[in-house]
Amino acid sequence: MFWNLTDSTRKRQSVVCRFPNGKLVLYCKGADNVIYERLADGNYDIKKTSREHLEQFGSAGLRTLCLAYRDLSMDQYKSWNEKFVQAKSSLRDRDKKLDEVAELIEKDLILIGCTAIEDKLQEGVPACIETLSAAGIKIWVLTGDKMETAINIAYACSLVNNDTKQFIISSETDTIREAEDRGDPVEIARVIKESVKQSLRSYLEEARRSLSNTPERKLAFIIDGRCLMYALDPALRVNLLGLSLICHSVVCCRVSPLQKAQVTSLVRKGARKITLSIGDGANDVSMIQAAHVGIGISGQEGMQAVMASDFAIAQFRYLTDLLLVHGRWSYLRLCKVITYFFYKNLTFTLTQFWFTFQTGFSGQRFYDDWFQSLYNVIFTALPVIMVGLFDKDVSASLSKKYPQLYQEGIRNTFFKWKVIAVWGFFAFYQSIVFYYFTAAASQHGHGSSGKILGQWDVSTMAFTCVVVTVNLRLLMSCNSITRWHYFSVAGSIAAWFLFIFIYSAIMTSFDRQENVYFVIYVLMSTFFFYLTLILVPVIALFGDFLYLSLQRWLFPYDYQVVQEMHKDDPHEYSMIRLPERSHLSPEEARSYAISMLPRENSKHTGFAFDSPGYESFFASQQGVCVPHKPWDVARRASMKQQRQQPQRTGRS
Amino acid sequence: MSVSGSESAASANKPKYSKFTQQELPACKPLLTPGIVIGAFSLIGIIFVPIGLASLSASQEIVELIDRYDEECVTASDKIGFIQDSKANKACTRKITVPKPMKGPIHVYYQLENFYQNHRRYVQSRSDQQLRDKDYKDPKAVAKACDPEATTGDGSLIVPCGLIAWSLFNDTYAFSVNKKSVTVNKKDIAWASDKNSKFGSNVFPVNFQKGGLIGGGNLNDKLPLSEQEDLIVWMRTAALPTFRKLYGRIETDIMASDEITVVIQNNYNTYSFGGTKAVVLSTASWIGGKNNFIGVAYVAVGGICLLLAMGFVVLYVVKPRALGDPAYLSWNKEAAEYSH
């Protein structure tokens, strides 16, 4: 007859049904803690058994729900319905009023039982997370699931392993349960806040100690949504941030979407780090928008995350490609393009600058107006675009094989002041070479006919050298040169010559355009032109070449070492089809598969989250047999023993 | 069947693969290995040194005689007054001894120092359209372009207008070798493109040097501008404050130890601004005039490159680094430091 929609804040959904015989029943399903809060007194054994089952399911890594019901009389329903309709049509605070109204009817429920769902992780997620951790990216998990489920997920993703020291702040401790039983909300809040404060402080000290004594031991911090609410208080936020940043991985469970966004903003503003959020559902939208880079996974949960994100990918594992391959290349290309752009304009302008000293500081321009305007548009524009599109320091597979290369971006290696200063120095050096060598060489420079060159001849000569040098310098700084690079560099230089041939051959009525009339033909009739054209670019690039050789030999960057290590690898194409059939025999395939199984002996197997291909938990409970794969047998045998242990010790 | 069907359905959404859009173009990946570095430096050294030596030897063969005369040609104490006096006798005789034989044609230049033909107001002060076209008579545009030497006192246009033309150099030189006079060929001293296109063959000087102040030489009213080669040479403004311009050519050869006598009409006033004047006699070869700079630069660069090639050989021997040694990766280096 009506239903309240589920939302992640309420964490429950109810529906009122009318049976054919007139009976009204309210059915409610939701997360276990919210349902348990609203149960009627009594029925202690069913509550206890259900709680045990829930813990079992959680340890097995399944997502759990509780079901409950309540009988309603017609009067109760009618009076409640009036309030509900009023709340639904209110203009202000509609959600809050609906919440309050729902609270009125969703109480004194009777527990039916609980359900568990197996939710498989996508293929390749653990590998992806390991790679990203190796790249120096800290990974936090923010989920709405229970703590046990979240911890299981963390194990499955290799964020946490048996050696990791775990700092857990949970709202299910005994002290808090006692306060809850007493029922005073102010008291509960105070108790929780106190306990969170104490835990944060002691964990922070412990973590710092662990970091200084045993730095290679990983630390993990696990907190649940209720405690997080108090931990995000301005008073406790600093400790929270400090502890989170020390730990290698952070898991927040039972968080609401708002808290996801709050945690993200905490890191973004408090720690001033670049944050990236990735999510696939509508409850991730606020988190995606709060981070610097928001990524949505398009898929089964709809397109809201995708629509709110900056980048959308189809599967989680594509994140490695996005960050380690394309993100890294993008950083490299951006740095190269920007520094090169400033360098070429600095060279070009400083050459003019030196001229001012010899014009009596009158401000006479060295170059013709059109040269200056078209410099950045035609003569040096296209090659740098090619570099920005195609430059690769190492190939895609090597980028993923050496994730530590990503650190270059984190440390901002290619855009430090030192790097810019070096480019600036060489721009300065080259401008001196261009100006003085051309001017000095032309002082008595003239053709064999004895005729003298004027100002515009000298400036055209210098400009030709600038264009040639600047384009060749780009080739020198490329890591991979495709034929488009050759075309664009040769094309730019050819465009310059074409332009000057045409420009200096026409006579228009615009005043003072004839300064450069016929200049290039005059120049090209002298040997001086060719000698200078060979000499000056070589001298100008000489300094850069020397620097690059010394830098690569004595202080190589990481990517340069990787390039050398793999310099004989063939060029990779992603479309080359690998042979479909493996060349291994079945025996070899089985022993290979077994050898690839993880060897850990742990209570948390992350079993439910393993990749597709493994048999489902429920099917095995029901005794439904799926054709066994040979390597499953070994794993299954080791599994059965472990699962019996928690049942025996159990929680009392 | 169904597998391939679903495959083709899935791949129907995939964008078309092309090497360009997937950034998989075949590429050359240059690495600055030791071989390449040493090879590049050696190559440059090997190419440049011979070119430099050839240029240098060509330059050394050229004989260039420079004689600065502005100080010694004016004996009066008030130099500026002397120069500006139109009635004074400004002839001046200079003697130059030729050290080496000079093969004709020998080029005669006048060289000015501290004369900023590249000053912004000076360079702008001309009207190219007026020089080309007899019928161009837009007084406002001309006045704007050629200010302050656009019109005479009573407003009539000056042709050619502007400061560049107005400051035309007007010293003359008369040469005699061993007391026998030689003619100076003043034809073909300007670039053909200037003569044929920039200066009109139907434009004649009008009201030249009648603006109030006299800035330099005068022009023959009867000759069209395209034949006034001195003016054309002068108006191709020089790049630097020290420059020389072609005056003419002596077509005969001159032997070593011959004595050249130059009679200079010292008309041009460089004394007001501290400029200097000199007369230059020079032979020319394929490289142009005497220009040691190019030869020296080539030899120097080639030499430095060869030295660097050897230096790099020493560097690679003294500080070897195996190419592609993983120990140089920064995370391995940190781990190595850590374990110490």
Side-chain angles (χ1 to χ4, degrees), chain B residues 304-321:
Chain B
I304 292 178
C305 284
L306 288 174
L307 276 178
L308 277 176
M310 290 193 278
F312 268 95
V313 169
V314 169
L315 179 72
Y316 294 142
V317 162
V318 162
K319 258 195 159 258
R321 170 172 86 82

PDB file of all heavy atoms in Angstrom, chain B residues 304-321:
ATOM      1  N   ILE B 304      86.581  22.276 -29.772  1.00  0.00           N
ATOM      2  CA  ILE B 304      85.959  21.976 -28.478  1.00  0.00           C
ATOM      3  C   ILE B 304      85.210  20.651 -28.544  1.00  0.00           C
ATOM      4  O   ILE B 304      85.240  19.853 -27.601  1.00  0.00           O
ATOM      5  CB  ILE B 304      85.016  23.115 -28.058  1.00  0.00           C
ATOM      6  CG1 ILE B 304      85.816  24.366 -27.743  1.00  0.00           C
ATOM      7  CG2 ILE B 304      84.201  22.726 -26.846  1.00  0.00           C
ATOM      8  CD1 ILE B 304      84.959  25.532 -27.364  1.00  0.00           C
ATOM      9  N   CYS B 305      84.535  20.396 -29.651  1.00  0.00           N
ATOM     10  CA  CYS B 305      83.789  19.139 -29.759  1.00  0.00           C
ATOM     11  C   CYS B 305      84.719  17.942 -29.714  1.00  0.00           C
ATOM     12  O   CYS B 305      84.414  16.935 -29.073  1.00  0.00           O
ATOM     13  CB  CYS B 305      82.981  19.118 -31.053  1.00  0.00           C
ATOM     14  SG  CYS B 305      81.535  20.134 -30.954  1.00  0.00           S
ATOM     15  N   LEU B 306      85.879  18.062 -30.412  1.00  0.00           N
ATOM     16  CA  LEU B 306      86.810  16.936 -30.372  1.00  0.00           C
ATOM     17  C   LEU B 306      87.338  16.745 -28.958  1.00  0.00           C
ATOM     18  O   LEU B 306      87.445  15.616 -28.455  1.00  0.00           O
ATOM     19  CB  LEU B 306      87.964  17.171 -31.353  1.00  0.00           C
ATOM     20  CG  LEU B 306      87.564  17.033 -32.811  1.00  0.00           C
ATOM     21  CD1 LEU B 306      88.730  17.433 -33.697  1.00  0.00           C
ATOM     22  CD2 LEU B 306      87.144  15.615 -33.145  1.00  0.00           C
ATOM     23  N   LEU B 307      87.625  17.850 -28.283  1.00  0.00           N
ATOM     24  CA  LEU B 307      88.088  17.744 -26.897  1.00  0.00           C
ATOM     25  C   LEU B 307      87.028  17.094 -26.026  1.00  0.00           C
ATOM     26  O   LEU B 307      87.317  16.243 -25.174  1.00  0.00           O
ATOM     27  CB  LEU B 307      88.387  19.134 -26.340  1.00  0.00           C
ATOM     28  CG  LEU B 307      89.758  19.718 -26.649  1.00  0.00           C
ATOM     29  CD1 LEU B 307      89.846  21.111 -26.061  1.00  0.00           C
ATOM     30  CD2 LEU B 307      90.844  18.843 -26.072  1.00  0.00           C
ATOM     31  N   LEU B 308      85.771  17.500 -26.222  1.00  0.00           N
ATOM     32  CA  LEU B 308      84.698  16.926 -25.416  1.00  0.00           C
ATOM     33  C   LEU B 308      84.516  15.445 -25.707  1.00  0.00           C
ATOM     34  O   LEU B 308      84.227  14.664 -24.803  1.00  0.00           O
ATOM     35  CB  LEU B 308      83.383  17.658 -25.675  1.00  0.00           C
ATOM     36  CG  LEU B 308      83.224  18.939 -24.882  1.00  0.00           C
ATOM     37  CD1 LEU B 308      81.943  19.619 -25.282  1.00  0.00           C
ATOM     38  CD2 LEU B 308      83.198  18.661 -23.407  1.00  0.00           C
ATOM     39  N   ALA B 309      84.693  15.078 -26.996  1.00  0.00           N
ATOM     40  CA  ALA B 309      84.574  13.661 -27.313  1.00  0.00           C
ATOM     41  C   ALA B 309      85.598  12.876 -26.512  1.00  0.00           C
ATOM     42  O   ALA B 309      85.281  11.847 -25.903  1.00  0.00           O
ATOM     43  CB  ALA B 309      84.762  13.436 -28.807  1.00  0.00           C
ATOM     44  N   MET B 310      86.823  13.410 -26.490  1.00  0.00           N
ATOM     45  CA  MET B 310      87.842  12.706 -25.711  1.00  0.00           C
ATOM     46  C   MET B 310      87.522  12.753 -24.234  1.00  0.00           C
ATOM     47  O   MET B 310      87.697  11.778 -23.502  1.00  0.00           O
ATOM     48  CB  MET B 310      89.214  13.332 -25.986  1.00  0.00           C
ATOM     49  CG  MET B 310      89.698  13.024 -27.380  1.00  0.00           C
ATOM     50  SD  MET B 310      91.421  13.405 -27.581  1.00  0.00           S
ATOM     51  CE  MET B 310      91.333  15.166 -27.872  1.00  0.00           C
ATOM     52  N   GLY B 311      87.018  13.912 -23.767  1.00  0.00           N
ATOM     53  CA  GLY B 311      86.647  14.030 -22.366  1.00  0.00           C
ATOM     54  C   GLY B 311      85.591  13.016 -21.980  1.00  0.00           C
ATOM     55  O   GLY B 311      85.630  12.417 -20.903  1.00  0.00           O
ATOM     56  N   PHE B 312      84.603  12.818 -22.874  1.00  0.00           N
ATOM     57  CA  PHE B 312      83.555  11.852 -22.550  1.00  0.00           C
ATOM     58  C   PHE B 312      84.092  10.440 -22.527  1.00  0.00           C
ATOM     59  O   PHE B 312      83.641   9.610 -21.741  1.00  0.00           O
ATOM     60  CB  PHE B 312      82.389  11.967 -23.542  1.00  0.00           C
ATOM     61  CG  PHE B 312      81.332  12.913 -23.076  1.00  0.00           C
ATOM     62  CD1 PHE B 312      81.337  14.234 -23.484  1.00  0.00           C
ATOM     63  CD2 PHE B 312      80.350  12.496 -22.203  1.00  0.00           C
ATOM     64  CE1 PHE B 312      80.375  15.123 -23.040  1.00  0.00           C
ATOM     65  CE2 PHE B 312      79.379  13.383 -21.760  1.00  0.00           C
ATOM     66  CZ  PHE B 312      79.391  14.689 -22.183  1.00  0.00           C
ATOM     67  N   VAL B 313      85.050  10.145 -23.395  1.00  0.00           N
ATOM     68  CA  VAL B 313      85.655   8.815 -23.346  1.00  0.00           C
ATOM     69  C   VAL B 313      86.277   8.606 -21.972  1.00  0.00           C
ATOM     70  O   VAL B 313      86.088   7.566 -21.332  1.00  0.00           O
ATOM     71  CB  VAL B 313      86.711   8.656 -24.467  1.00  0.00           C
ATOM     72  CG1 VAL B 313      87.511   7.390 -24.250  1.00  0.00           C
ATOM     73  CG2 VAL B 313      86.032   8.622 -25.817  1.00  0.00           C
ATOM     74  N   VAL B 314      87.008   9.622 -21.508  1.00  0.00           N
ATOM     75  CA  VAL B 314      87.622   9.514 -20.183  1.00  0.00           C
ATOM     76  C   VAL B 314      86.540   9.352 -19.116  1.00  0.00           C
ATOM     77  O   VAL B 314      86.648   8.525 -18.219  1.00  0.00           O
ATOM     78  CB  VAL B 314      88.487  10.770 -19.910  1.00  0.00           C
ATOM     79  CG1 VAL B 314      88.906  10.809 -18.463  1.00  0.00           C
ATOM     80  CG2 VAL B 314      89.693  10.784 -20.816  1.00  0.00           C
ATOM     81  N   LEU B 315      85.450  10.122 -19.234  1.00  0.00           N
ATOM     82  CA  LEU B 315      84.371  10.059 -18.236  1.00  0.00           C
ATOM     83  C   LEU B 315      83.761   8.672 -18.185  1.00  0.00           C
ATOM     84  O   LEU B 315      83.524   8.117 -17.109  1.00  0.00           O
ATOM     85  CB  LEU B 315      83.299  11.090 -18.583  1.00  0.00           C
ATOM     86  CG  LEU B 315      82.091  11.109 -17.639  1.00  0.00           C
ATOM     87  CD1 LEU B 315      82.474  11.686 -16.314  1.00  0.00           C
ATOM     88  CD2 LEU B 315      80.965  11.912 -18.255  1.00  0.00           C
ATOM     89  N   TYR B 316      83.517   8.081 -19.360  1.00  0.00           N
ATOM     90  CA  TYR B 316      82.876   6.773 -19.365  1.00  0.00           C
ATOM     91  C   TYR B 316      83.808   5.702 -18.835  1.00  0.00           C
ATOM     92  O   TYR B 316      83.374   4.663 -18.359  1.00  0.00           O
ATOM     93  CB  TYR B 316      82.406   6.406 -20.771  1.00  0.00           C
ATOM     94  CG  TYR B 316      81.306   7.297 -21.270  1.00  0.00           C
ATOM     95  CD1 TYR B 316      81.270   7.700 -22.605  1.00  0.00           C
ATOM     96  CD2 TYR B 316      80.311   7.747 -20.437  1.00  0.00           C
ATOM     97  CE1 TYR B 316      80.279   8.524 -23.065  1.00  0.00           C
ATOM     98  CE2 TYR B 316      79.319   8.572 -20.892  1.00  0.00           C
ATOM     99  CZ  TYR B 316      79.295   8.959 -22.208  1.00  0.00           C
ATOM    100  OH  TYR B 316      78.312   9.781 -22.666  1.00  0.00           O
ATOM    101  N   VAL B 317      85.127   5.967 -18.924  1.00  0.00           N
ATOM    102  CA  VAL B 317      86.057   4.985 -18.380  1.00  0.00           C
ATOM    103  C   VAL B 317      86.194   5.168 -16.875  1.00  0.00           C
ATOM    104  O   VAL B 317      86.206   4.213 -16.107  1.00  0.00           O
ATOM    105  CB  VAL B 317      87.425   5.129 -19.093  1.00  0.00           C
ATOM    106  CG1 VAL B 317      88.515   4.475 -18.286  1.00  0.00           C
ATOM    107  CG2 VAL B 317      87.350   4.544 -20.486  1.00  0.00           C
ATOM    108  N   VAL B 318      86.253   6.442 -16.455  1.00  0.00           N
ATOM    109  CA  VAL B 318      86.482   6.704 -15.031  1.00  0.00           C
ATOM    110  C   VAL B 318      85.228   6.429 -14.209  1.00  0.00           C
ATOM    111  O   VAL B 318      85.296   5.905 -13.114  1.00  0.00           O
ATOM    112  CB  VAL B 318      86.941   8.167 -14.858  1.00  0.00           C
ATOM    113  CG1 VAL B 318      86.766   8.618 -13.423  1.00  0.00           C
ATOM    114  CG2 VAL B 318      88.379   8.317 -15.271  1.00  0.00           C
ATOM    115  N   LYS B 319      84.072   6.845 -14.745  1.00  0.00           N
ATOM    116  CA  LYS B 319      82.833   6.677 -13.972  1.00  0.00           C
ATOM    117  C   LYS B 319      81.886   5.799 -14.755  1.00  0.00           C
ATOM    118  O   LYS B 319      80.908   6.275 -15.311  1.00  0.00           O
ATOM    119  CB  LYS B 319      82.184   8.045 -13.737  1.00  0.00           C
ATOM    120  CG  LYS B 319      82.423   8.585 -12.359  1.00  0.00           C
ATOM    121  CD  LYS B 319      81.471   9.743 -12.044  1.00  0.00           C
ATOM    122  CE  LYS B 319      81.349   9.949 -10.565  1.00  0.00           C
ATOM    123  NZ  LYS B 319      80.137   9.417  -9.989  1.00  0.00           N
ATOM    124  N   PRO B 320      82.169   4.512 -14.791  1.00  0.00           N
ATOM    125  CA  PRO B 320      81.330   3.683 -15.652  1.00  0.00           C
ATOM    126  C   PRO B 320      79.965   3.449 -15.010  1.00  0.00           C
ATOM    127  O   PRO B 320      79.818   3.469 -13.803  1.00  0.00           O
ATOM    128  CB  PRO B 320      82.124   2.378 -15.731  1.00  0.00           C
ATOM    129  CG  PRO B 320      82.891   2.332 -14.457  1.00  0.00           C
ATOM    130  CD  PRO B 320      83.154   3.744 -14.051  1.00  0.00           C
ATOM    131  N   ARG B 321      79.004   3.270 -15.869  1.00  0.00           N
ATOM    132  CA  ARG B 321      77.689   2.909 -15.361  1.00  0.00           C
ATOM    133  C   ARG B 321      77.119   1.941 -16.359  1.00  0.00           C
ATOM    134  O   ARG B 321      76.959   2.276 -17.524  1.00  0.00           O
ATOM    135  CB  ARG B 321      76.814   4.164 -15.252  1.00  0.00           C
ATOM    136  CG  ARG B 321      75.381   3.891 -14.970  1.00  0.00           C
ATOM    137  CD  ARG B 321      74.659   5.200 -14.678  1.00  0.00           C
ATOM    138  NE  ARG B 321      74.190   5.853 -15.889  1.00  0.00           N
ATOM    139  CZ  ARG B 321      73.071   5.548 -16.538  1.00  0.00           C
ATOM    140  NH1 ARG B 321      72.318   4.573 -16.115  1.00  0.00           N
ATOM    141  NH2 ARG B 321      72.709   6.218 -17.598  1.00  0.00           N
TER     142      ARG B 321
END
